[in-house]
Amino acid sequence: MEPFKSLTAVAAPIVRANVDTDIIIPSREMKSVSKTGLAAGLFAGWRYTTIGGREPNPDFVLNRAEYGSAQIILGGENFGCGSSREHAVWALHEYGFRAVIAPSFSPIFFGNCVRNGIVPVRLPVATVQALAAWVERDPAQHRITVDLQNAVVRADDREHAFELDPESRDMLLEGLDAIALTLKQRAVIEEFWQRDRRARPWIYEIEEGASR
Amino acid sequence: MSPRSLFEKLWQSHLVQQLEGGAALLAIDRIFLHERTGSVALKSLAAAGRKIADPSRVFCTMDHIVDTFPGRGDETRMPGGSAFILETRAAARAAGIHLFDVRDPLQGIVHVISPELGIVLPGATVVCPDSHTCTQGALGALAWGIGSTEAEHALATGTLRVTRPKTMRVRFEGQRPAGVTAKDFALALIARYGSAGGNGYAVEFAGSAVRALDIEARLTLCNMATEFSAMTGLIAPDEHTFEYLRGRDFAPEGATWDHAVTAWRELSSDVGAHFDMDIEIDVSTLAPMITWGTSPQHAVAIDGVVPEQSASGTGPEAYARALQYMDLAPGTALTSLPIAAAFIGSCTNSRISDLRRAAALLRGRKVASGVRAICVPGSMSVKRQAEAEGLDKIFVEAGFEWRESGCSMCFFAGGESFGARERVVSSTNRNFESRQGPETRTHIASPETVAASAIAGHIADARALQPR
Ligand code: SF4
């Protein structure tokens, strides 16, 4: 995963509550057992005029020329709710997004962002709305900075501090591979299992039942 | 020791190590996968040259993409669907994990078979790359949905790095009125507190009305915790839980069983345990619920009307979009809406008790003409049980399609679907845009409401029908 320090980019406002992962990547667009080939299906239901088609809907924000290079999304409450499909985050990343700024995120989507180098930034709903209004006045020039090192969003000569748990922040800043990191604790994990196996043998002794 | 909540007990008993950044390394007891999102985790893990820490505690089913038509095989109606099945099968076999394959008599929806087979146990941690994994919390497990990369982590290390959530207790108190179900408890909660109301929390469901629910109804309630944006829902296990699990395929036996039950009896919140938020809902005032919009929080009593924006709990833009999508106007009575289809299925409401309650309303009655009605049992075991009781005949004689088990039309993957812009009453959990088909208008409700609506040809209040 590539480290994320700071990014200044065009932001696309999709400030609507409950943008679910079915919206971000419809199930019908997840065509193979793969983490790639998903960008074309991103927001397909809103982005194209017909289901399954590829005729751009001119009203949708990502189809407007001034948002063509957007790398940040301004989202609404409960962003990424619904299905756990990580494909939503893979599609966002493949399209070019590196940060989502929203009042709140579904917990699974939030974790998926962190594991894929997309910074989930929580800011109050009024702040997100103000940012969206400012961006809309001149999308190409009114760029937003997400500075992860200092945990602030900068826009319109103002700074907005945000909070991110240290674990997620470190993962993103360093571009860490969580599995490799955890595997270093193998001895501690083995020790836990040895102890736990005595305390809760039913967790570890699994026998397929009579009907198998 | 100071009083601890059920969540704290589960957390502490799985704490392998406190990590520097404030997260915790938690031991994961059970991992479940399915062909939709598990396949990519298995494939990616193998590509990275990593091994599964303990394959004997990993389970996989074929539920999402598999067809639910009789005589099904590896081909599905979803374009490209059979690749998911074939790749999952190959990866599962190579990894040496338990697999409930397409033709396995124990196959079914992951969240239906894991309790039914005794794979999930009280006090266990259970994860699956599927948001409705919270269902399993109904047995007193700490169970939550994760992404595929997290699933890889759990597979490779037997642990997850987790930031501790806050705790909420939701107490459902009072006498449950006839016709009001666990599904209605969940929809009432989400309507009242919003679909982000549980964000950041692990939610314990408690109170006299929860104690009085049977285990399958508790599974329905916890299933909807993810629609509340909670990390999970959980319910303290009790004698009903132990009775439910006794003798199930993967449940412990003999002396180990006795040992387990003794330990499980400790799994409840101590008197005086701290919760960051504590709310109470009086169920005696509840009615059956139905959704009018495109979020589970857009729910009202079945005899209610589409609310004005000010009473909808939704901002103007999302409200307008929901009404336009659903083709509704404020003030419209929900029961006045004609339907094109009725669906009973999904991990929320496709267990044997759900089918029995729906069948009691359908017996000797017919689905209204022009309504397509479908029943998809949640597992092959549920299907066999229903057939042994003759429920299949009741469904078929009423005019329902009777299917093999799976997720089926709970979601649209490009294959089978309801028609464009059709209005559907569904026992599923998500009324999102195009969730069940291209621009399909989904109203979610209990199986009783779905059955009554199928008979009436419009959204209907099941309380007006006598069970037969
Ligand atoms: S039945 Fe529906 S909600 Fe449940 S696991 Fe399957 S697709 Fe997901």
Side-chain angles (χ1 to χ4, degrees):
Chain A
M1 201 170 83
E2 71 201 90
F4 185 110
K5 308 287 182 204
S6 181
L7 167 77
T8 301
V10 172
I14 308 181
V15 191
R16 190 177 293 168
N18 301 316
V19 172
D20 59 74
T21 54
D22 279 68
I23 291 290
I24 300 172
I25 182 94
S27 213
R28 60 181 184 277
E29 298 286 349
M30 295 158 53
K31 291 175 178 145
S32 67
V33 185
S34 170
K35 300 179 177 183
T36 59
L38 295 161
L42 181 70
F43 290 113
W46 291 350
R47 190 165 147 207
Y48 306 117
T49 52
T50 54
I51 297 275
R54 287 292 183 261
E55 174 82 29
N57 165 14
D59 296 337
F60 184 59
V61 58
L62 297 185
N63 291 329
R64 290 166 51 193
E66 56 280 31
Y67 292 105
S69 61
Q71 289 186 285
I72 299 169
I73 286 184
L74 294 168
E77 275 222 307
N78 206 22
F79 196 88
C81 62
S83 160
S84 67
R85 63 186 68 164
E86 196 161 328
H87 305 70
V89 169
W90 295 329
L92 285 168
H93 192 275
E94 190 175 293
Y95 187 94
F97 288 107
R98 294 295 178 268
V100 182
I101 303 173
S104 59
F105 294 89
S106 125
I108 305 175
F109 180 85
F110 188 94
N112 287 342
C113 282
V114 171
R115 291 283 178 261
N116 288 279
I118 292 184
V119 182
V121 177
R122 285 193 211 94
L123 286 178
V125 64
T127 309
V128 179
Q129 280 165 349
L131 288 173
W134 178 73
V135 162
E136 277 164 356
R137 285 206 294 279
D138 187 356
Q141 299 305 320
H142 288 187
R143 292 170 181 237
I144 290 182
T145 298
V146 176
D147 177 346
L148 183 59
Q149 267 163 324
N150 296 300
V152 292
V153 167
R154 282 189 211 95
D156 195 12
D157 294 327
R158 294 181 59 185
E159 280 198 351
H160 308 277
F162 65 88
E163 277 179 28
L164 186 62
D165 63 278
E167 161 92 0
S168 301
R169 188 162 158 263
D170 291 351
M171 289 282 164
L172 287 161
L173 276 175
E174 308 299 332
L176 296 173
D177 174 356
I179 298 179
L181 211 59
T182 303
L183 284 176
K184 289 188 190 150
Q185 305 302 322
R186 197 175 252 152
V188 186
I189 298 169
E190 294 281 350
E191 207 179 291
F192 175 92
W193 282 336
Q194 272 183 18
R195 239 183 306 127
D196 194 41
R197 190 180 276 273
R198 285 194 294 276
R200 302 185 308 147
W202 54 90
I203 293 298
Y204 300 88
E205 295 161 13
I206 298 181
E207 284 186 43
E208 305 229 347
S211 65
R212 299 292 283 173
Chain B
M1 199 187 292
S2 59
R4 295 184 301 161
S5 67
L6 170 59
F7 172 82
E8 282 176 277
K9 292 179 185 182
L10 297 177
W11 183 271
Q12 284 171 9
S13 62
H14 290 84
L15 184 63
V16 176
Q17 194 178 37
Q18 196 61 48
L19 298 170
E20 272 172 30
L25 195 61
L26 291 190
I28 303 300
D29 298 332
R30 299 278 183 270
I31 303 170
F32 227 115
L33 304 170
H34 57 65
E35 85 279 31
R36 186 58 160 169
T37 56
S39 47
V40 66
L42 287 174
K43 197 172 165 178
S44 173
L45 192 74
R50 286 173 167 147
K51 292 250 169 311
I52 296 178
D54 185 355
S56 74
R57 293 190 280 131
V58 182
F59 301 79
C60 183
T61 187
M62 306 277 195
D63 55 358
H64 275 64
I65 286 167
V66 65
D67 262 352
T68 51
F69 289 97
R72 66 181 173 191
D74 295 345
E75 289 302 318
T76 81
R77 277 158 183 75
M78 183 208 148
S82 67
F84 285 86
I85 293 173
L86 299 176
E87 289 190 40
T88 302
R89 178 178 300 141
R93 284 189 183 154
I97 62 178
H98 307 266
L99 174 65
F100 304 102
D101 210 333
V102 179
R103 290 199 177 79
D104 194 306
L106 301 184
Q107 177 273 351
I109 303 173
V110 45
H111 316 304
V112 175
I113 64 175
S114 27
E116 178 178 275
L117 298 177
I119 292 168
V120 55
L121 297 172
T125 45
V126 184
V127 296
C128 171
D130 192 287
S131 56
H132 290 100
T133 308
C134 52
T135 310
Q136 320 303 341
L139 298 187
L142 185 61
W144 70 102
I146 54 177
S148 298
T149 303
E150 288 285 80
E152 274 183 62
H153 188 291
L155 288 166
T157 69
T159 65
L160 279 177
R161 310 168 74 93
V162 193
T163 300
R164 188 181 172 129
K166 293 177 284 180
T167 54
M168 182 191 298
R169 180 169 58 184
V170 178
R171 284 171 296 124
F172 289 99
E173 301 286 0
Q175 181 70 33
R176 178 168 62 95
V180 172
T181 69
K183 179 70 156 285
D184 305 305
F185 287 13
L187 286 173
L189 170 71
I190 299 166
R192 207 168 287 182
Y193 292 92
S195 56
N199 198 316
Y201 292 95
V203 179
E204 178 176 346
F205 296 114
S208 56
V210 170
R211 293 262 73 84
L213 292 176
D214 63 36
I215 298 302
E216 297 196 345
R218 295 180 191 180
L219 289 161
T220 299
L221 177 60
C222 287
N223 177 270
M224 300 288 286
T226 189
E227 307 324 326
F228 192 43
S229 202
M231 173 199 185
T232 189
L234 59 167
I235 295 175
D238 57 15
E239 297 305 317
H240 299 292
T241 319
F242 311 146
E243 244 355 273
Y244 172 89
L245 282 169
R246 186 194 294 275
R248 300 220 173 234
D249 286 72
F250 290 87
E253 289 171 353
T256 315
W257 168 264
D258 297 337
H259 182 184
V261 171
T262 307
W264 294 342
R265 289 210 169 97
E266 303 298 318
L267 295 175
S268 60
S269 289
D270 299 333
V271 175
H274 168 79
F275 293 91
D276 297 297
M277 189 170 168
D278 201 354
I279 59 185
E280 181 176 322
I281 291 182
D282 175 6
V283 302
S284 68
T285 62
L286 296 183
M289 302 290 288
I290 185 140
T291 61
W292 54 267
T294 53
S295 160
Q297 76 179 11
H298 297 154
V300 291
I302 185 83
D303 47 9
V305 299
V306 178
E308 300 287 341
Q309 191 257 316
S310 56
S312 72
T314 301
E317 200 196 343
Y319 174 79
R321 169 90 197 175
L323 283 198
Q324 184 211 355
Y325 182 89
M326 296 298 288
D327 190 26
L328 292 174
T332 307
L334 270 301
T335 51
S336 71
L337 298 173
I339 57 165
F343 182 81
I344 295 178
S346 91
C347 55
T348 317
N349 281 123
S350 65
R351 298 181 181 83
I352 190 68
S353 56
D354 297 312
L355 304 195
R356 283 180 191 141
R357 297 197 318 274
L361 298 174
L362 293 169
R363 185 176 285 126
R365 296 188 170 110
K366 292 269 182 240
V367 170
S369 75
V371 173
R372 181 178 182 203
I374 300 170
C375 178
V376 185
S379 71
M380 292 310 284
S381 308
V382 169
K383 181 170 185 258
R384 278 191 302 278
Q385 179 63 32
E387 289 174 352
E389 296 176 18
L391 303 185
D392 57 322
K393 289 199 185 63
I394 297 172
F395 278 99
V396 170
E397 277 164 19
F400 269 76
E401 293 174 40
W402 180 250
R403 299 283 192 89
E404 307 290 297
S405 78
C407 297
S408 192
M409 282 154 79
C410 172
F411 80 116
F412 168 56
E416 202 190 357
S417 77
F418 295 104
R421 290 185 276 283
E422 274 186 6
R423 196 174 296 285
V424 182
V425 182
S426 180
S427 77
T428 54
N429 42 48
R430 287 188 176 140
N431 49 344
F432 297 167
E433 290 185 18
S434 298
R435 169 79 180 180
Q436 292 191 287
E439 294 174 48
T440 298
R441 296 169 176 145
T442 299
H443 297 264
I444 55 180
S446 67
E448 285 90 330
T449 301
V450 178
S453 304
I455 296 163
H458 55 81
I459 292 175
D461 188 341
R463 291 174 299 183
L465 279 185
Q466 283 308 315
R468 293 176 171 174

